[in-house]
Amino acid sequence: TKCSGEGIYFAAKSGRMAAEEIVKLMKNGSRLPTQSEIEDTYIRDYDRAYGPTYAVLDILQKVFYSNNGAREAFVELCKSKYVQQVTFDSYLYKRVQGNNPLDDIKLLGETIGCLIKGYAKAKPDAEFSNPVESLKRI
């Protein structure tokens, strides 16, 4: 994913899930599934399995990678043993882990505190402009 760098794992998992669904839909090779049948099975199942992970990673990216203050807050949060354990387990099991409600509430409070502190002490982001490079990417 753009958020985690785990693209190869999720691409392989997606391919396997699609192939398994197509084999089921083919009923021993007696028919070809339609596009809508594939979308109604494989994509629904993939989104159910990994949608929450993508949502959490997207939120984390938007919150913590948006500017210097947020990045400072992220670095501060990474000192937490709970954050380290949740991060490790989430990467290991490819699903968002945690699920300790008390620790999650404490983490929310720590996150807000770290964001306030990060914004207070971080230097503003430098203005960036590189029109030549930007045109190459269009």
Side-chain angles (χ1 to χ4, degrees):
T1 68
K2 68 179 182 175
C3 307
S4 70
E6 295 278 329
I8 292 172
Y9 170 82
F10 287 108
K13 185 67 175 178
S14 174
R16 175 175 281 190
M17 289 175 74
E20 288 170 351
E21 286 301 322
I22 290 169
V23 167
K24 284 182 200 173
L25 291 168
M26 289 179 70
K27 298 184 179 177
N28 293 324
S30 64
R31 62 182 293 278
L32 286 176
T34 66
Q35 178 74 24
S36 65
E37 287 175 317
I38 294 168
E39 290 172 358
D40 291 343
T41 56
Y42 147 70
I43 293 177
R44 179 198 62 224
D45 293 345
Y46 187 86
D47 286 347
R48 187 179 301 134
Y50 297 105
T53 300
Y54 283 107
V56 167
L57 290 170
D58 192 47
I59 290 167
L60 289 173
Q61 183 174 9
K62 287 176 180 170
V63 170
F64 291 112
Y65 297 162
S66 57
N67 59 55
N68 285 337
R71 286 185 285 275
E72 289 289 339
F74 183 71
V75 170
E76 183 75 22
L77 279 174
C78 287
K79 294 177 185 176
S80 162
K81 293 286 185 202
Y82 182 66
V83 169
Q84 292 171 18
Q85 188 64 53
V86 168
T87 301
F88 179 79
D89 289 346
S90 297
Y91 275 104
L92 182 64
Y93 300 113
K94 306 299 186 218
R95 290 195 188 346
V96 176
Q97 303 295 306
N99 304 323
N100 182 331
L102 290 177
D103 284 338
D104 289 342
I105 290 170
K106 286 188 338 191
L107 179 58
L108 176 62
E110 290 173 15
T111 301
I112 293 168
C114 286
L115 284 168
I116 291 168
K117 192 161 93 174
Y119 278 97
K121 73 177 188 179
K123 294 178 183 175
D125 289 350
E127 188 66 34
F128 178 78
S129 176
N130 188 342
V132 173
E133 185 63 29
S134 297
L135 287 174
K136 290 181 190 176
R137 296 177 185 206
I138 294 179

